[in-house]
Amino acid sequence: MSTLRGRRNYRSLGLTAVGVITALAVTACGSSDGDSDKGGKPGASKAADEAPKNLKLGRPGPVQEITSYKKTGKFSITPTKVSLGEPEDLKELDDPKKYKDKKIAWIYVKAKHVGGPAIKEARPMGDIGAETDAGAPATRFILIGTLASTPKDCNLLNGAKELGSEDIWKQNEERTVCEPYLIPATSKVKNVTYSQGFYKEPIKWAVK
């Protein structure tokens, strides 16, 4: 969890929505921060097994390989919960046309480094996405700063303790990471997903 000091520093960066990325594109192309290859794309994690069936929140999926700064570690990925906001939460961004009929789904994932060397700036959320109850992909929502409605237990610093601290994942280190996604105001999240590249089905966790 981030310290109070870290959250204040993070908020001081300014409240700005810097972009949205359709989760469908994210799951197709993989994450963008490392050096590994998934389906020929950089910055992605790999799965050794086929996607399991009937997973629910709180159950770990197959161990994933995540590469960053030319080092690869093995991570256990476990989505734990989804917290839905309200359409009114987006009003403070002062762009009513852009966010009309939208709301935020905050997705929480417990990630644990279970094998390999220490990894700098590993991004376990890089291949996380979501599907709504209408079957549409959620949209990754990138913020600089926090909203007033950001859940108190949501750490937007990749699970790091404090902004500015060195982000090194050591073996057996476990963090709970949270990131926001946009969905239609009338929708719910049906599944949390984890991309396994172009040639494998994504792993899915049912949200009940």
Side-chain angles (χ1 to χ4, degrees), residues 28-49:
C29 298
S31 58
S32 59
D33 58 287
D35 304 288
S36 68
D37 182 90
K38 181 191 292 183
K41 300 296 181 179
S45 57
K46 301 176 182 177
D49 302 315

Side-chain angles (χ1 to χ4, degrees), residues 7 11 15 89 92 104 106 108 143 145-156 178:
R7 293 186 66 85
R11 188 174 180 85
L15 178 59
D89 297 340
E92 66 180 282
I104 299 177
W106 302 92
Y108 294 72
L143 288 171
T146 58
L147 295 169
S149 58
T150 300
K152 292 182 179 180
D153 62 349
C154 178
N155 187 352
L156 296 171
C178 168

Side-chain angles (χ1 to χ4, degrees), residues 2-207:
S2 62
T3 64
L4 179 59
R5 176 185 172 188
R7 293 186 66 85
R8 284 175 175 170
N9 287 343
Y10 193 59
R11 188 174 180 85
S12 70
L13 289 176
L15 178 59
T16 310
V18 296
V20 292
I21 306 171
T22 304
L24 182 61
V26 172
T27 57
C29 298
S31 58
S32 59
D33 58 287
D35 304 288
S36 68
D37 182 90
K38 181 191 292 183
K41 300 296 181 179
S45 57
K46 301 176 182 177
D49 302 315
E50 295 299 323
K53 306 298 182 182
N54 303 316
L55 283 176
K56 297 181 179 180
L57 293 185
R59 293 184 60 186
V63 170
Q64 304 294 318
E65 291 184 347
I66 299 178
T67 299
S68 183
Y69 289 90
K70 299 182 180 181
K71 291 186 178 181
T72 300
K74 295 183 178 181
F75 286 76
S76 172
I77 304 293
T78 309
T80 57
K81 72 175 180 177
V82 176
S83 179
L84 297 180
E86 299 291 339
E88 292 76 16
D89 297 340
L90 295 165
K91 287 184 177 180
E92 66 180 282
L93 295 177
D94 199 26
D95 196 341
K97 184 178 180 180
K98 184 175 182 178
Y99 300 112
K100 182 180 179 181
D101 298 326
K102 303 289 185 182
K103 67 182 178 184
I104 299 177
W106 302 92
I107 296 179
Y108 294 72
V109 170
K110 182 170 66 176
K112 184 175 182 178
H113 186 327
V114 296
I119 304 295
K120 182 179 179 180
E121 296 180 10
R123 301 289 177 185
M125 295 294 286
D127 291 300
I128 290 289
E131 296 174 347
T132 69
D133 51 4
T139 301
R140 187 181 298 276
F141 190 34
I142 301 174
L143 288 171
I144 294 177
T146 58
L147 295 169
S149 58
T150 300
K152 292 182 179 180
D153 62 349
C154 178
N155 187 352
L156 296 171
L157 304 177
N158 194 36
K161 294 180 179 180
E162 189 171 329
L163 181 68
S165 61
E166 192 172 25
D167 187 6
I168 304 293
W169 290 74
K170 299 178 181 179
Q171 193 171 49
N172 295 319
E173 182 175 354
E174 182 178 276
R175 305 181 191 177
T176 295
V177 186
C178 168
E179 288 191 357
Y181 294 75
L182 288 179
I183 63 173
T186 58
S187 294
K188 296 181 180 180
V189 174
K190 181 180 180 180
N191 296 305
V192 175
T193 63
Y194 189 94
S195 170
Q196 298 195 103
F198 288 100
Y199 304 110
K200 291 184 179 181
E201 293 184 358
I203 304 168
K204 295 184 179 182
W205 290 262
V207 179

